[in-house]
Amino acid sequence: MTKIPSPETRATMGPDATTGPDALSADRTISRRTVLGGAALIGAGALCLRATRASAQQKQKQADVQYVDKAPGADKCAGCAMFQAPDACQGVEGKISPEGWCNIYSPKA
Ligand code: SF4
């Protein structure tokens, strides 16, 4: 038979693990774990989405963006945000001249 301690005795026994302040702390730990686990899943999902987008971003063909080796105006590949010196482009396939231009030209900021 279990003896039920008096309120005075319980006050000197310290916090009860199931009903005292530690119980709240335990709940918070579980909750934190749940939240952190959810955050990890969200992060993993974001990485997968990013990888999918990166593989979906393919360079366009030069003909499709009307690329020319000699720019018709003042805007040239060398001044484009997508130009990658010495002769490449993030958005267009093949060798790109710094003197060239295409219709997706985007000036550097
Ligand atoms: S204008 Fe810009 S996007 Fe077009 S080919 Fe030149 S560097 Fe690439």
Side-chain angles (χ1 to χ4, degrees):
M1 185 171 194
T2 305
K3 186 176 177 184
I4 299 173
S6 68
E8 294 81 22
T9 304
R10 278 190 290 188
T12 62
M13 291 174 64
D16 184 323
T18 56
T19 59
D22 283 353
L24 285 176
S25 179
D27 285 347
R28 285 190 190 133
T29 302
I30 291 168
S31 178
R32 240 180 264 138
R33 280 188 192 151
T34 302
V35 169
L36 290 175
L41 283 175
I42 290 169
L47 284 175
C48 287
L49 183 61
R50 197 172 186 180
T52 302
R53 280 190 187 156
S55 64
Q57 287 179 344
Q58 293 182 340
K59 291 185 177 185
Q60 298 192 53
K61 295 183 184 317
Q62 291 184 0
D64 291 346
V65 294
Q66 299 173 332
Y67 170 79
V68 289
D69 283 338
K70 286 281 177 197
D75 296 336
K76 298 177 180 179
C77 291
C80 178
M82 290 192 274
F83 184 67
Q84 296 174 313
D87 59 2
C89 172
Q90 293 174 352
V92 180
E93 294 177 342
K95 191 170 182 176
I96 302 295
S97 168
E99 298 297 314
W101 175 89
C102 81
N103 66 11
I104 60 169
Y105 171 84
S106 176
K108 289 179 182 173

